Amino acid sequence: MKCTNKRNLKAQGSPVFSRLKKILSRTAVICLLASLPAGALTGCGKEELPFAYNPDYEVSSYRVVNEVSSVVADSFADDLCVVIGDVGTENGAVDMSEATAAGLFDLNKNNVMYAKNVHERLQPASLTKIMTALVALKYGNPDDMITVTDEASITESGAVLCGLKPGDQLTLNQALHALLIHSANDAAAAIAVHIGGSIEGFAEMMNKEALAIGATNSHFVNPHGLTADNHYVTAYDLYLIFNEALKQDLINEIIHMTSYETVYMDKDGNSKSMSLKTTNQYLNGNFKAPEQVTIIGGKTGTTNAAGNCLILLSKDTSGNPYISVILRSKEKQILYTEMTELLNVIN
């Protein structure tokens, strides 16, 4: 197609321009033509810019694709569970009265089996670390050698640590095990500085990745989930984040482990041992899942602001996968009791 500027396109009475005018203002047309991918509509090379994709918006890429070119575009959420409001069970068997938000998602059927306040912004506690692991593996390599910096010296009361000190050296693989099995906050900080150059730099990467996978109702300011202003997620966004993280084989492997032992080096080159146990009460045997459900793994999280939180990957007797999440349950015992009720919805 011959490259034609926008002014000539109108002057020539282009049928494309005429049809665009019916759904967009002239200003919107100009913005659209400037932001489409190279070769789109005009054939001119242009840099691609973000453009809303929503069938309900008066101006969006969905309407341009469908109304201008008469081509049905693939939905961004074509292979995802989508939910707007609450979804209950037929017999009302799930008692989620002690939790603020919860969801159960069938990954094979892309079906929301239960939803309560899944779009409410809440503190995620250590469920944050799922995004930390996802970003770390996207931009790093498991064999990367991390040198621990002062940012890993976390002094907050009650914060879970694995004992890292400034100058210690360990691989990203080792740090990810400490992060996801033991929920070590010092490991989270060490990973963040290694990958992002700083806590703030890594948080920016987390937010960029969240937007890329559709988790647009979340915002991160740190890699560990210790309480901070403007650090929040939703139960639905956590489903999106966990679903994306499960595409990483190493994350699938780690979340299933009940314990981990390794050796790393201190600043003087001396060996230091690390022995960790899972914080997941299903995996360590303190709580029992329903008979028809196998817990593959997940992530726990607890702070005063976030309450007790849990996200899980489970499978039914046929091997079909499910993601379940509960945010801000009042007590750990209640959290696991409610999660067991939620998992009972799986047939």
Side-chain angles (χ1 to χ4, degrees):
M1 180 183 295
K2 183 180 179 181
C3 183
T4 308
N5 64 38
K6 293 182 285 294
R7 188 171 297 176
N8 287 339
L9 181 65
K10 179 181 179 181
Q12 293 173 9
S14 165
V16 172
F17 188 87
S18 298
R19 297 177 69 185
L20 277 171
K21 285 182 62 180
K22 295 179 181 179
I23 58 170
L24 305 171
S25 70
R26 183 179 183 279
T27 301
V29 170
I30 292 174
C31 294
L32 168 65
L33 294 177
S35 63
L36 283 172
L41 294 184
T42 66
C44 302
K46 296 291 180 182
E47 181 181 357
E48 183 177 1
L49 298 173
F51 192 58
Y53 186 90
N54 191 314
D56 297 322
Y57 289 179
E58 291 184 3
V59 177
S60 77
S61 56
Y62 176 92
R63 290 198 174 275
V64 170
V65 169
N66 285 277
E67 297 187 33
V68 174
S69 62
S70 300
V71 175
V72 177
D74 292 333
S75 169
F76 175 81
D78 189 52
D79 59 349
L80 296 171
C81 300
V82 177
V83 60
I84 297 176
D86 288 357
V87 177
T89 57
E90 291 184 2
N91 55 10
V94 176
D95 179 9
M96 206 60 61
S97 58
E98 300 299 317
T100 300
L104 176 61
F105 306 89
D106 183 333
L107 301 189
N108 277 0
K109 296 181 181 178
N110 299 325
N111 179 43
V112 180
M113 303 178 70
Y114 181 86
K116 175 186 176 180
N117 299 331
V118 293
H119 297 297
E120 181 174 342
R121 293 177 175 180
L122 298 168
Q123 288 271 349
S126 287
L127 271 60
T128 298
K129 295 182 174 84
I130 300 170
M131 177 60 84
T132 300
L134 174 60
V135 173
L137 286 174
K138 181 171 182 178
Y139 294 96
N141 186 291
D143 295 328
D144 286 352
M145 186 61 66
I146 297 174
T147 298
V148 179
T149 63
D150 290 338
E151 284 84 352
S153 299
I154 295 173
T155 58
E156 182 172 324
S157 176
V160 176
L161 306 172
C162 64
L164 297 180
K165 305 296 182 183
D168 287 350
Q169 290 191 319
L170 73 167
T171 65
L172 177 58
N173 186 306
Q174 292 172 309
L176 286 170
H177 279 77
L179 179 83
L180 295 176
I181 295 174
H182 191 60
S183 200
N185 294 292
D186 46 356
I191 291 170
V193 174
H194 173 73
I195 298 293
S198 66
I199 298 295
E200 296 77 15
F202 188 79
E204 290 179 6
M205 298 171 71
M206 296 171 75
N207 290 320
K208 179 180 178 181
E209 183 65 19
L211 290 175
I213 62 178
T216 58
N217 211 15
S218 299
H219 188 265
F220 302 95
V221 300
N222 65 52
H224 37 62
L226 294 176
T227 304
D229 292 339
N230 208 30
H231 187 95
Y232 56 83
V233 298
T234 66
Y236 181 75
D237 280 7
L238 278 169
Y239 147 70
L240 294 174
I241 293 166
F242 196 31
N243 185 58
E244 187 69 19
L246 291 173
K247 297 176 183 178
Q248 296 283 348
D249 291 340
L250 183 57
I251 291 178
N252 277 276
E253 175 187 325
I254 294 175
I255 64 171
H256 189 56
M257 300 175 67
T258 58
S259 62
Y260 177 71
E261 294 185 3
T262 191
V263 175
Y264 61 104
M265 310 298 288
D266 68 12
K267 63 180 181 179
D268 298 318
N270 300 313
S271 297
K272 296 177 68 175
S273 61
M274 182 187 295
S275 181
L276 308 171
K277 294 187 181 299
T278 182
T279 58
N280 190 313
Q281 300 298 302
Y282 286 116
L283 295 184
N284 65 22
N286 289 338
F287 285 86
K288 184 178 180 181
E291 292 185 359
Q292 77 277 17
V293 175
T294 299
I295 305 297
I296 305 303
K299 188 71 197 72
T300 62
T302 305
T303 63
N304 290 334
N308 293 270
C309 307
L310 179 62
I311 191 166
L312 295 174
L313 170 67
S314 307
K315 292 187 177 180
D316 61 22
T317 54
S318 299
N320 300 310
Y322 303 81
I323 288 176
S324 54
V325 58
I326 293 177
L327 295 179
R328 196 185 281 173
S329 188
K330 291 186 177 180
E331 299 176 5
K332 182 180 294 185
Q333 177 76 33
I334 294 173
L335 170 69
Y336 281 89
T337 299
E338 290 181 329
M339 180 61 79
T340 300
E341 287 191 15
L342 190 58
L343 295 173
N344 260 321
V345 177
I346 300 173
N347 296 320

